[in-house]
Amino acid sequence: MAESGERAEISVRKRRVGSKRTETDSAVSGGEDGKHSSSDAEKEKPLLSLQPGTYWLTRIVLLRSVAFIYFVAFSVAYNQNKQLIGEHGLMPCKSYLRSVKRYVGGKIGMAAMAYTPSVLWFFDWSDMDANLDGIALLGMALSGFVLVMGMANMVIMLTLWVLYHSLVNVGQLWYSFGWESQLLETGFLAIFLCPVWTLSQVPHRCPPSLICIWTFRWLIVRIMLGAGLIKIRGDKCWRDLTCMDYHYETQPVPNPMSYYIHRSPWWFHRFETLSNHFVELIVPFFTFLGRRMCMVNGAIQILFQVVLIVSGNLSFLNWLTIVPSLACFDDASLGFLFRSGAGAKEAVLEIQSEDVAGRTPAPTKGMLIRRVVNISLGILIGCLSIPVVMNLLSSRQVMNTSFDPLRIVNTYGAFGSITKERTEVIFQGTLSPDPKDPEALWEEYQFMCKPGDVYRRPCLLSPYHYRLDWLMWFAAFQTYEQSEWVIHIAGRLLSNDSTVLSLLDHNPFQGRDSPRWVRGEHFRYKFSQPGSASAAQGKWWLRKRIGAYFPPVNLEGLRGYFQSRNWPHPHLQQNRK
């Protein structure tokens, strides 16, 4: 009886202990489940602010920026191509294409395309002006769409690149500026930012490639290092810190701010030159020092370009250089540019929330193919960068040069040498039958933007630009034998040619007889001193005659000159019109 009682008591105790253990286990189990559910709830909770490390919004900003530059470039082309490379232009692209065709054996094939890549090979050449206008208008339409909508696909961006390539490669002297290659390289990289077909600001199946973002960053590094090194190796004034004493007055096309900044104290110009070296030679390396320093590089480069935009008319070069600097910023740093609560910003927050919750969709076959394409892009840019890097390291560095016919990776640089005084070529015409008559009245033509009339305020033009005005700046420190196209212009002015006159701001013979003689005069220009008597009279410039740039010429005297160069004689061309 006692044993059975003890056994019963032990049994009861075991049941009680078991019961307590069960309660404890269930409590523990319940606590763990609570923790898991709390963690899941945190994952499910949507993000309230953008997280660093993604580039969805960066892509939108980059595409809009590239589209803006394309729009400006195609606008310039539409307004000026006919006069420069059209049917009756100064250097007709039809003649150029024919010469290339002869050079490659008389056939339009791969050799011709490799020598001069352009869709114009496949067009009807009977109306080249219409072809040039069509390319420019299509480029404006496509770039305008991307600029307004903030979205693009590879087809659109590839089309823009091909169209602009087609113009640059037949543009000859008029398209010989470094920013043409820079736009083509930037535009090429922008192709790989986009999905192939989809048109969406935030295409979920096509995240921005980090490789593509780094190709933009590599571009800004090369641009700035190229510009900095060419200065240090070039003009002595960059090393003794005096270049900015001259730059504002002698740059190709000054603006009103150039006039005032030029008169800054000497120490300010020294500070500018030192700052230039710091921004171009030191700051680019910040790109490789992590997210924060990369953004510092981007901010400094953008600020630097804005200063250059304010202080001169350097075409769309500085605007274009801002574009790869934008790749230094991710979504978290660019979120302030987008409206909260809707649109692209909200879509990116949703994507980031899904990533945090571990609900990232499995990559599709198309996404895997795209990764291969992105890796191939990185390898291509890396291989094509080898001669560019070798050029940067060379003591014989060259700037604004392409090492491949498609201009995918190029060398850059600007103002390796600074002109210490400004000279200008001024076209003058007279109705006098004798150009040597001291009583002959010589009247001046005025260009759109380059200095001429000393009372005319410097223009404010950037990012637009006038190609002829820029080339006249180069011609002024050469001779007319080195710039024969100057005489071509003189011949056109003798016949009051409307094509060339549309590139000028003022024709003194408008509505009158054509001039009998035209000459080129060479002048030295200097800014007037603010507050001086000259400035009080309204003079922005002071000038002094150097001598004749080219002697007086008339139509009859130019006949042989034009024939020897296969240029149509101006009065014959006028009759055809």
Side-chain angles (χ1 to χ4, degrees):
M1 292 290 294
E3 288 181 2
S4 62
E6 288 178 2
R7 288 173 183 169
E9 186 177 351
I10 291 171
S11 175
V12 170
R13 286 176 181 173
K14 285 181 177 179
R15 283 198 297 271
R16 287 176 179 172
V17 170
S19 174
K20 288 179 180 178
R21 284 177 179 172
T22 303
E23 291 173 5
T24 303
D25 291 343
S26 63
V28 170
S29 175
E32 290 177 352
D33 291 342
K35 288 180 182 177
H36 286 305
S37 60
S38 175
S39 175
D40 291 341
E42 289 178 4
K43 288 183 179 180
E44 292 292 336
K45 188 178 180 180
L47 296 174
L48 299 178
S49 61
L50 292 167
Q51 303 300 300
T54 61
Y55 299 92
W56 299 91
L57 300 182
T58 306
R59 170 165 60 189
I60 297 172
V61 173
L62 282 170
L63 286 175
R64 276 190 158 139
S65 302
V66 174
F68 170 72
I69 305 300
Y70 267 135
F71 187 84
V72 173
F74 282 114
S75 299
V76 172
Y78 179 71
N79 290 318
Q80 300 176 39
N81 271 357
K82 292 184 290 297
Q83 300 91 318
L84 299 174
I85 60 174
E87 290 281 352
H88 305 292
L90 291 168
M91 297 181 184
C93 63
K94 182 192 296 187
S95 301
Y96 175 73
L97 289 171
R98 284 173 175 164
S99 66
V100 172
K101 183 180 176 181
R102 288 193 299 269
Y103 178 77
V104 299
K107 295 181 180 179
I108 300 176
M110 290 304 298
M113 284 297 297
Y115 191 90
T116 305
S118 177
V119 297
L120 286 170
W121 287 115
F122 308 109
F123 287 13
D124 181 5
W125 293 358
S126 62
D127 190 354
M128 193 60 80
D129 285 354
N131 295 338
L132 293 172
D133 279 351
I135 289 175
L137 288 172
L138 179 57
M140 290 171 65
L142 292 176
S143 57
F145 171 82
V146 177
L147 176 61
V148 172
M149 302 304 296
M151 65 180 75
N153 55 32
M154 294 184 81
V155 175
I156 291 176
M157 298 310 293
L158 177 62
T159 302
L160 285 169
W161 185 72
V162 169
L163 291 176
Y164 200 65
H165 229 306
S166 298
L167 295 180
V168 171
N169 290 321
V170 300
Q172 305 159 81
L173 180 68
W174 313 107
Y175 280 79
S176 59
F177 306 110
W179 56 72
E180 316 294 358
S181 295
Q182 187 174 327
L183 176 52
L184 288 173
E185 179 170 351
T186 307
F188 179 80
L189 298 180
I191 295 170
F192 297 89
L193 280 172
C194 312
V196 178
W197 299 107
T198 306
L199 278 175
S200 171
Q201 285 192 338
V202 186
H204 287 238
R205 292 289 182 178
C206 186
S209 163
L210 190 57
I211 292 175
C212 191
I213 294 297
W214 269 102
T215 60
F216 278 96
R217 293 174 178 176
W218 176 231
L219 173 58
I220 188 60
V221 168
R222 286 187 290 107
I223 291 171
M224 302 315 293
L225 287 179
L229 289 171
I230 203 72
K231 291 180 175 69
I232 291 296
R233 291 168 175 155
D235 202 316
K236 181 176 178 291
C237 70
W238 287 113
R239 298 188 293 277
D240 62 25
L241 308 183
T242 59
C243 274
M244 301 309 290
D245 294 347
Y246 312 101
H247 168 72
Y248 296 109
E249 186 175 72
T250 63
Q251 64 179 305
V253 186
N255 71 11
M257 284 302 297
S258 311
Y259 175 82
Y260 295 103
I261 300 176
H262 176 66
R263 299 299 180 182
S264 299
W266 68 269
W267 57 264
F268 182 76
H269 289 317
R270 303 298 179 274
F271 170 75
E272 286 182 300
T273 312
L274 279 172
S275 300
N276 185 95
H277 293 329
F278 174 71
V279 171
E280 293 184 340
L281 294 172
I282 304 299
V283 173
F285 292 103
F286 292 2
T287 306
F288 309 105
L289 301 180
R291 176 177 178 265
R292 289 181 183 274
M293 293 304 290
C294 185
M295 289 194 298
V296 169
N297 171 50
I300 291 175
Q301 299 299 350
I302 291 172
L303 178 62
F304 181 58
Q305 299 305 319
V306 169
V307 170
L308 296 177
I309 290 168
V310 169
S311 62
N313 292 303
L314 297 176
S315 179
F316 52 73
L317 173 61
N318 306 120
W319 301 78
L320 177 59
T321 306
I322 288 174
V323 175
S325 303
L326 296 169
C328 295
F329 302 94
D330 57 16
D331 292 341
S333 55
L334 293 178
F336 73 96
L337 296 174
F338 295 81
R339 184 165 54 90
S340 299
K345 189 173 184 179
E346 192 67 20
V348 174
L349 280 170
E350 182 181 339
I351 292 172
Q352 290 187 347
S353 298
E354 291 177 354
D355 289 343
V356 170
R359 298 200 308 272
T360 305
T364 62
K365 182 179 178 181
M367 294 172 72
L368 294 175
I369 294 174
R370 186 55 183 265
R371 289 178 185 177
V372 174
V373 171
N374 293 332
I375 292 171
S376 301
L377 171 67
I379 294 172
L380 174 66
I381 299 300
C383 292
L384 294 178
S385 295
I386 294 174
V388 174
V389 173
M390 296 302 293
N391 177 69
L392 286 174
L393 299 175
S394 172
S395 59
R396 298 183 178 181
Q397 176 191 0
V398 294
M399 66 181 191
N400 301 328
T401 302
S402 302
F403 294 98
D404 63 270
L406 295 180
R407 309 189 197 208
I408 295 174
V409 180
N410 313 287
T411 67
Y412 300 105
F415 296 107
S417 61
I418 295 289
T419 51
K420 306 305 186 293
E421 62 180 21
R422 181 179 202 92
T423 59
E424 293 288 349
V425 178
I426 304 298
F427 285 93
Q428 299 176 342
T430 182
L431 294 171
S432 173
D434 182 6
K436 296 180 181 180
D437 184 355
E439 300 298 321
L441 175 63
W442 291 93
E443 301 178 74
E444 295 186 2
Y445 294 86
Q446 298 296 329
F447 284 75
M448 290 292 190
C449 212
K450 90 175 189 69
D453 181 0
V454 296
Y455 291 95
R456 189 172 69 166
R457 177 181 61 82
C459 64
L460 190 61
L461 187 65
S462 176
Y464 194 85
H465 74 113
Y466 296 108
R467 296 185 180 277
L468 179 57
D469 288 43
W470 266 78
L471 266 297
M472 288 301 300
W473 179 74
F474 287 103
F477 46 81
Q478 297 174 337
T479 65
Y480 75 88
E481 291 90 352
Q482 295 170 304
S483 304
E484 294 182 340
W485 52 270
V486 171
I487 304 301
H488 197 169
I489 292 175
R492 296 293 190 89
L493 296 180
L494 284 164
S495 63
N496 264 348
D497 181 80
S498 59
T499 300
V500 169
L501 285 170
S502 66
L503 295 172
L504 304 185
D505 180 56
H506 173 65
N507 171 22
F509 302 96
Q510 180 72 36
R512 301 159 57 192
D513 291 339
S514 300
R516 294 193 178 187
W517 298 88
V518 167
R519 71 183 183 185
E521 290 288 279
H522 211 186
F523 286 87
R524 182 178 295 109
Y525 274 67
K526 293 180 68 69
F527 278 137
S528 65
Q529 178 73 43
S532 66
S534 299
Q537 295 171 9
K539 291 183 179 180
W540 289 82
W541 297 95
L542 302 175
R543 75 180 189 182
K544 182 178 180 181
R545 183 177 182 272
I546 300 172
Y549 185 80
F550 64 85
V553 294
N554 62 7
L555 281 175
E556 188 58 36
L558 288 178
R559 184 180 298 275
Y561 191 89
F562 273 58
Q563 287 177 349
S564 65
R565 289 155 181 80
N566 292 319
W567 296 342
H569 197 253
H571 80 275
L572 294 177
Q573 192 172 43
Q574 189 180 45
N575 291 340
R576 282 200 298 271
K577 291 180 184 180

